[in-house]
Amino acid sequence: MAVTIKQIAQLAGVSRGTVDRALNKRGGVNPEVEKRIMEIAESLGYKPNIVAKSLAMHSQNHTIGLVVCSEGNDFFSEVYRGIDTAADEIKDFGFRVLTRKMRGFDIDEQLRHIDELEQTGIHGLAVMPINDTRIKDRLNQLTQNGTPVVALNVDIEGADNITYVGCDYTVSGQTAGAMMGLVTGGKGRVLIATGSHKLLGHQMRVAGFTDVLKTEYPS
C-alpha cells in the first residue's frame, strides 16, 4: 500500500500541511523538522501522489459525487476502503466526496441520487451505472453541462464518460467458461447464477462464458 502524507505526519508529530510544505519545498518549515520529515519519507519509500499534486494546482473546494449499488454487498467493503483512502489524501486540497448508496438496481432511485448530487453543485461524478437509456441520457447531460463522469466497476452503453474503472467482464466470463470446460471434461449441463441483467458488466460476463462453451466445449 502506498505511503501517505498522513502516515508521515503521524510519525513526525506534525500536521499534514507541514509535511506537504516540506516534501514540496514550499518553505515555512523549521529546518530540523523538514529534515526529520524527509528522513521519514525516505525510510518509508514515499512517492508523491501525482493525482493529489495535480488537484492542488486547480481551484479549491471541489465536490465529487459518488453513486454505487452497494447496500448488502460485501464486495464493496474493499472498494470503500480505496475510496476512503483517496478521499483522505485529497481533502487537504479542498476536495470532498459525497456518497449515495443504493440497494439493488432501481433506475428511478439512481436518477434521483444523481439529481440530488447535481443540485449540491458537484464538480464530477463517479457512478456504478445501471445499463438503461434514461441513465445514459442523464449522464450525457451532465457531461454536456461540463460535469465529468466516471463509470465505476461496471460500464454503460452509449454514455460519454471520460473513463471506466473496472475489470474486463468479457474476459472474466471467458476465463470462467474455460475453467468450467476443463473441470467438466467438456460435457454436461451448466446453470448460470449471476447478478442483474440491468448491469452491462454482468451481461458481458455471461456472454463471455457462454461464447467459450459454445466454441470450445459444444457438448
Side-chain angles (χ1 to χ4, degrees):
M1 182 178 293
V3 178
T4 66
I5 286 179
K6 180 180 179 180
Q7 292 172 309
I8 298 174
Q10 291 175 337
L11 291 172
V14 298
S15 70
R16 283 179 290 188
T18 299
V19 173
D20 178 68
R21 290 195 300 275
L23 294 177
N24 292 286
K25 305 297 182 181
R26 295 197 178 98
V29 181
N30 181 286
E32 293 184 3
V33 174
E34 181 174 343
K35 180 181 178 181
R36 183 166 75 250
I37 291 171
M38 299 303 292
E39 289 175 347
I40 293 173
E42 183 177 357
S43 68
L44 294 176
Y46 171 78
K47 294 182 179 180
N49 186 317
I50 302 301
V51 174
K53 291 187 69 174
S54 175
L55 294 176
M57 297 172 62
H58 294 76
S59 300
Q60 302 296 292
N61 301 319
H62 277 44
T63 300
I64 300 171
L66 175 67
V67 180
V68 284
C69 310
S70 60
E71 287 293 324
N73 188 340
D74 291 337
F75 164 81
F76 276 90
S77 60
E78 287 296 309
V79 176
Y80 283 126
R81 185 176 302 173
I83 291 169
D84 289 342
T85 298
D88 188 58
E89 290 178 356
I90 65 176
K91 69 181 181 181
D92 286 344
F93 299 101
F95 284 75
R96 64 170 180 159
V97 178
L98 292 181
T99 303
R100 298 291 185 271
K101 300 179 182 179
M102 298 173 52
R103 179 182 291 273
F105 310 103
D106 184 282
I107 296 168
D108 291 329
E109 182 182 2
Q110 186 160 94
L111 288 171
R112 185 170 65 254
H113 286 313
I114 294 172
D115 290 343
E116 290 173 355
L117 287 170
E118 185 183 27
Q119 290 171 9
T120 67
I122 58 173
H123 300 86
L125 175 70
V127 58
M128 182 178 172
I130 299 170
N131 193 41
D132 179 83
T133 301
R134 285 185 291 163
I135 299 295
K136 177 205 70 176
D137 292 342
R138 188 68 182 87
L139 296 181
N140 285 344
Q141 184 183 44
L142 282 175
T143 300
Q144 292 167 7
N145 292 337
T147 302
V149 177
V150 171
L152 173 66
N153 193 53
V154 291
D155 210 347
I156 182 171
E157 295 176 311
D160 297 326
N161 305 327
I162 60 172
T163 192
Y164 156 64
V165 181
C167 73
D168 187 324
Y169 279 98
T170 299
V171 172
S172 298
Q174 291 170 342
T175 302
M179 294 177 66
M180 180 62 71
L182 291 173
V183 300
T184 61
K187 296 181 180 180
R189 301 175 65 188
V190 177
L191 168 68
I192 298 175
T194 185
S196 171
H197 275 280
K198 292 183 178 180
L199 296 182
L200 179 61
H202 293 195
Q203 297 175 26
M204 295 169 66
R205 192 159 48 196
V206 172
F209 182 86
T210 54
D211 286 347
V212 167
L213 294 190
K214 288 177 181 178
T215 57
E216 305 293 334
Y217 306 98
S219 297

